[in-house]
Amino acid sequence: MYNYAMDLNTKNTPKRTKKKDLILESAVSIFSQHGYNNTKLEQITKSLDLTDKSIYYYFNSKGDLFLEVILSIQLKLNKLIESINEMDTTHLDKIKTYTNKAMTINGLTLLMQIPKSLSDCAKYTTPSCAHSHSNVS
């Protein structure tokens, strides 16, 4: 998963990775409750007892954070699909398993809010979004 903040030549330490993961978890929950437009970064930082500006150490903008949240959910779905494809069972059982397990993924409804095209991506993040995420389908 691409992280714009990593472009700042910051060291990716275990502590930093853990904090970033906590921010992503909180963001999934808050974006799920309020949607992208009604979520303020302050809600996310407050839920983790962080200063409002500290989130920018990990993410360049609310849009960048939202896109990473979406990519993390998609990664969970991809792993789920891979594990189900490896099952030695009927297609119907695979569908049932996928449906049951997919519904436990926090933030699944956020996938309905992803940009429909790369041009829509600009409303979530910086102008480089379309270029940086051109390999995202």
Side-chain angles (χ1 to χ4, degrees):
M1 180 175 348
Y2 185 79
N3 181 358
Y4 297 104
M6 292 298 182
D7 287 345
L8 302 175
N9 293 324
T10 55
K11 191 172 182 182
N12 201 15
T13 63
K15 182 178 177 181
R16 186 179 194 288
T17 300
K18 182 178 180 181
K19 180 79 67 144
K20 181 184 168 202
D21 290 343
L22 288 173
I23 292 170
L24 283 169
E25 285 178 32
S26 176
V28 166
S29 177
I30 293 170
F31 280 130
S32 294
Q33 290 173 9
H34 303 286
Y36 177 81
N37 291 325
N38 295 321
T39 295
K40 293 181 176 24
L41 288 179
E42 293 81 22
Q43 293 168 284
I44 297 166
T45 56
K46 185 177 180 180
S47 73
L48 298 168
D49 291 326
L50 298 173
T51 63
D52 290 345
K53 292 183 181 183
S54 66
I55 200 165
Y56 294 106
Y57 181 70
Y58 302 91
F59 303 95
N60 288 338
S61 68
K62 178 175 134 178
D64 289 343
L65 174 57
F66 183 73
L67 288 174
E68 286 224 29
V69 163
I70 295 298
L71 291 172
S72 71
I73 295 166
Q74 185 63 52
L75 181 64
K76 289 176 185 177
L77 283 173
N78 290 346
K79 287 181 179 180
L80 176 59
I81 290 168
E82 287 174 14
S83 69
I84 290 173
N85 281 339
E86 293 174 2
M87 292 173 52
D88 187 22
T89 187
T90 66
H91 292 297
L92 181 59
D93 284 341
K94 287 181 181 183
I95 291 169
K96 288 178 182 177
T97 301
Y98 175 80
T99 303
N100 289 331
K101 290 189 177 189
M103 297 310 291
T104 66
I105 295 175
N106 191 17
L108 190 62
T109 58
L110 287 174
L111 293 179
M112 293 183 277
Q113 296 182 36
I114 61 173
K116 302 292 184 250
S117 68
L118 291 177
S119 62
D120 289 343
C121 192
K123 72 180 178 183
Y124 293 106
T125 188
T126 62
S128 65
C129 172
H131 173 69
S132 298
H133 288 88
S134 60
N135 62 348
V136 177
S137 51

